[in-house]
Amino acid sequence: MKRFRDVVAVIAICMMAFTLLPFNVEAAQNVESTMTLATTTSTQDSGLLDYLLLVFEKDYNTKVKVIAVGSGQAMEMGQKGDADVLLVHSRAAEDKFVADGFGINRKDVMHNEFLIVGPASDPAKIKGTSDVVAAFKKIAASESKFVSRADKSGTHTKELGIWKKAGITPALPWYIEAGKGMGDTLLMSGEMKAYTLADEATWLSWKGKTELTEILQGDKLLFNPYGVIAVNPAKHPGVHKNAANAFIEFMTGTKGQNMIASFGKEKYGKALFTPDALPKVVAPTPAPAPAPVAVSPTDKATVNVYALNVRTGPGTNYKILGSVVKGTELQVLGSSGKWLKVNYGNKEAYVAGWLVKK
């Protein structure tokens, strides 16, 4: 009996130690075979998810069930434990989701931007402006039709924030709530010849299906960042935490980030998303120029190579004045880094200091 208790104790200690170890994405045998991803319709409608999950599922032998809804609905699923991991774009709500204890290991993944699209006739006359708040005011003032996703998505949240900044409460008959995802909202806006707010990725992949056109983009208020979050196993012990963390590591690792950086380039001439987790390339600090070597005007140097070029300045980019042969003795007048200033035909010139012997 004592031996049995000792074995159980050892197993318990090992299990506790294992839970404290950082997740190792290479330990693929520990990744669950299935996972539920709650994400936005924009990641699915743009085609990005199909592109990424084909590789993720193969690498980790994990089948992913995708539920594409608005960011708000995705986080509601996370709160209930109905998803293992979230890929969303509503930063304030994401931060609250984590602060409330429902999510862990949140990381930046990528970004693009929102833009206003609408009919080519532009009834509110907003094309040419770069101020999205001013544009919303003109849409309301002219009572031009505007279709809202109205689905608690990140796009919907962004849109409501802009109306709030404009000091406007939009309403019927010109303001229509679709209650649909981004692709369907674009189709509905096209049929109604209405404006709408869209994420750039879905717009580029769907614009050929409507008669809408780009009306306004570039305002910094339209920045659209995406984050990935694992549902907290402390709240919901049944979640597939290893698969969730594997997905996060894949999305923010070199492989996933490079795939994001290339997605859409061939078809649209530009990537639909910009990766945010790739290491920032910092230009190396140039090494300081070597301190000049103090020499006396009476110093001599002897050419130590078959032929040595004499230049107008201390570098190979300077003009060649001539050359001197091996054994020639030169009067040294000074130095600049590794170059020696010498007397050449009663004029100051320069030679490579490492090719002479003093």
Side-chain angles (χ1 to χ4, degrees):
M1 188 69 180
K2 180 178 183 299
R3 184 178 178 184
F4 176 77
R5 287 198 301 269
D6 290 344
V7 170
V8 171
V10 169
I11 293 173
I13 291 170
C14 290
M15 290 179 67
M16 184 179 296
F18 177 76
T19 61
L20 294 175
L21 289 173
F23 180 79
N24 180 1
V25 296
E26 294 180 356
Q29 67 272 19
N30 294 321
V31 175
E32 297 88 351
S33 60
T34 61
M35 182 188 81
T36 299
L37 166 66
T39 186
T40 70
T41 59
S42 59
T43 59
Q44 186 174 62
D45 289 346
S46 65
L48 177 68
L49 273 186
D50 290 340
Y51 171 68
L52 291 170
L53 291 183
L54 186 66
V55 175
F56 173 78
E57 290 183 335
K58 182 179 178 182
D59 285 357
Y60 292 92
N61 195 28
T62 298
K63 183 66 178 175
V64 180
K65 178 183 179 181
V66 176
I67 301 177
V69 289
S71 290
Q73 291 173 277
M75 282 180 270
E76 286 176 6
M77 290 182 61
Q79 289 179 8
K80 296 174 183 176
D82 293 335
D84 301 304
V85 65
L86 315 177
L87 177 60
V88 288
H89 63 135
S90 186
R91 186 55 193 266
E94 293 170 45
D95 290 341
K96 186 176 187 304
F97 182 80
V98 173
D100 290 345
F102 293 107
I104 58 174
N105 198 21
R106 187 210 168 274
K107 291 186 178 180
D108 293 330
V109 176
M110 59 193 182
H111 72 269
N112 60 8
E113 67 174 320
F114 293 108
L115 69 161
I116 297 177
V117 298
S121 60
D122 188 22
K125 306 303 178 190
I126 60 175
K127 194 172 182 65
T129 180
S130 59
D131 185 337
V132 68
V133 174
F136 269 41
K137 288 180 179 179
K138 286 186 175 183
I139 291 172
S142 62
E143 295 193 352
S144 300
K145 288 181 182 177
F146 185 100
V147 177
S148 169
R149 281 183 60 170
D151 62 350
K152 297 183 180 179
S153 62
T155 307
H156 183 215
T157 300
K158 173 65 72 173
E159 177 219 313
L160 293 179
I162 298 171
W163 287 122
K164 185 175 180 180
K165 283 182 177 292
I168 294 168
T169 302
L172 287 169
W174 59 271
Y175 183 78
I176 301 99
E177 295 183 331
K180 297 180 180 292
M182 194 70 259
D184 288 336
T185 299
L186 284 168
L187 293 178
M188 184 174 172
S189 300
E191 291 170 0
M192 300 183 70
K193 292 182 169 43
Y195 295 101
T196 192
L197 186 72
D199 70 279
E200 186 180 28
T202 309
W203 165 246
L204 288 175
S205 55
W206 280 65
K207 70 176 184 177
K209 302 174 183 179
T210 79
E211 294 183 0
L212 300 176
T213 187
E214 297 96 336
I215 301 293
L216 183 153
Q217 61 187 128
D219 190 322
K220 63 181 180 181
L221 191 60
L222 297 177
F223 180 71
N224 182 28
Y226 287 74
V228 63
I229 314 169
V231 174
N232 191 351
K235 288 277 189 181
H236 300 287
V239 297
H240 294 172
K241 61 181 181 180
N242 290 344
N245 281 305
F247 182 71
I248 291 172
E249 292 301 325
F250 172 77
M251 291 293 289
T252 59
T254 302
K255 190 171 189 176
Q257 288 282 287
N258 283 333
M259 289 180 69
I260 291 169
S262 64
F263 179 68
K265 279 188 176 180
E266 185 175 341
K267 186 173 182 179
Y268 304 106
K270 64 177 291 187
L272 298 194
F273 298 89
T274 300
D276 286 335
L278 280 173
K280 298 293 186 287
V281 178
V282 180
T285 303
V293 180
V295 294
S296 165
T298 59
D299 282 350
K300 302 287 185 181
T302 303
V303 178
N304 205 27
V305 291
Y306 178 76
L308 177 63
N309 288 329
V310 182
R311 299 179 180 271
T312 58
T316 55
N317 56 320
Y318 286 91
K319 181 181 177 181
I320 297 174
L321 294 173
S323 63
V324 287
V325 297
K326 186 174 182 178
T328 302
E329 190 175 76
L330 300 170
Q331 181 185 12
V332 179
L333 304 176
S335 67
S336 177
K338 295 182 178 181
W339 291 78
L340 296 180
K341 182 164 64 173
V342 299
N343 181 3
Y344 179 71
N346 293 322
K347 293 182 179 179
E348 292 182 356
Y350 290 84
V351 295
W354 61 94
L355 298 179
V356 299
K357 183 176 180 181
K358 292 178 66 179

